[in-house]
Amino acid sequence: MRKPERPRRPTMTDIAKLAGVSQSTVSLVINHMSGAKVSSATRNNVLRIARELGYPVDRPGHPAPPAARSLIVYLTDELSTSPHAMQTIDGARDAAWEHDCLLSVYATRNDPAYEQAIVARMLADPALLGVVYATIFTRAVTVPPPLAGVPTVLLNCHTRDRLYSSVVPSEVLGGFAATMHLLDAGHRRIGFINGEAWIEAAAERLKGYRQALSTRDIPFDPLLVREGDWQVSAGHAHAQALLALPDAPTALFCANDLMAIGALEAARERRLQVPGQLSVVGYDDQDIARYTQPPLTTVLLPNYEMGRWATENLIAQVNGGSPRRTCMKMDCPLVERDSVAARSLI
């Protein structure tokens, strides 16, 4: 007899979508941050939805003192280049706290000497439970040799020898989902504004785009693919070039939301209505995506969920409840808003 599936644990992302606020606002409310500029109505609404979903918002009355908690070190190469890092830290921190652990975060800025000093210091801490080793760009890494005997989970990165558990976004499926959404709306000429080809995420999103086209027997046209740099200006410039083609695309898939915003501006300048005359899909689901005109259909990058998974897998390893080498590719679901219309309506 098949065992019933275990229900998925609600996340801050679920609460944010139902409450119509950002994940950062949910985090401020859930963690009872003093001085946060959140209205009473918003606070009460977030707490109500969280309780209805079964998300833990009422902390135990007598938590263990910090000194009694185990320590998980979150070691990353960068924090300041995008909002994604803070979302993964939120997920890792929440999971750690729920398991009576504290999360300590260090950013190395890719300085080997600094990373070595941090590792030496944390290995001397008797409270150390393990390490979440993270990167801002998905890529292959070399784990510092001193961590060989320390429980370690890789977040948004992986090793080529697969000796460590890791969690990365399923970028191929994300690119596939975005392109299929446009194909299902009847579009056949779909432009793709990608990031730099050397970045793993860009290469995999392109692979997903090509796989989706092949499912509908649509030949890949390299003229419809442009390489940008993830910035608004690149999205604007490449959208202008694509829309100036003699056989211009009727839809654009942009590999991040910032470039999609640039594409929306290019459409406005060419007096093209979105989605009436041009459909646009982004990627990442940054907060700004819901406030563009029109609100942007995009693909969710599951940063918070990856942070939670990394910490929970690490704790399970320590407790003997998880295999040492688990490689998770986390789903990147489509978030439908108002920037895509059926081709038959154009």
Side-chain angles (χ1 to χ4, degrees), residues 187 189-191 224 239 242-245 247-252 277-278:
H187 296 277
R189 294 281 291 173
I190 301 172
L224 292 178
L242 287 167
L243 295 173
L245 291 173
D247 187 8
T250 62
L252 296 175
Q277 294 171 290
L278 177 72

Side-chain angles (χ1 to χ4, degrees), residues 201-238:
E204 297 209 337
R205 291 172 196 181
L206 175 60
K207 187 183 296 183
Y209 166 82
R210 297 189 65 161
Q211 287 181 1
L213 293 178
S214 69
T215 65
R216 299 295 171 87
D217 294 325
I218 297 175
F220 172 73
D221 184 351
L223 289 178
L224 292 178
V225 178
R226 305 298 164 101
E227 183 179 317
D229 62 1
W230 312 102
Q231 302 304 312
V232 174
S233 58
H236 177 268
H238 288 307

Side-chain angles (χ1 to χ4, degrees), residues 76-92:
T76 184
D77 56 356
E78 186 60 75
L79 289 176
S80 60
T81 59
S82 77
H84 303 311
M86 299 313 299
Q87 293 168 354
T88 57
I89 289 170
D90 277 348

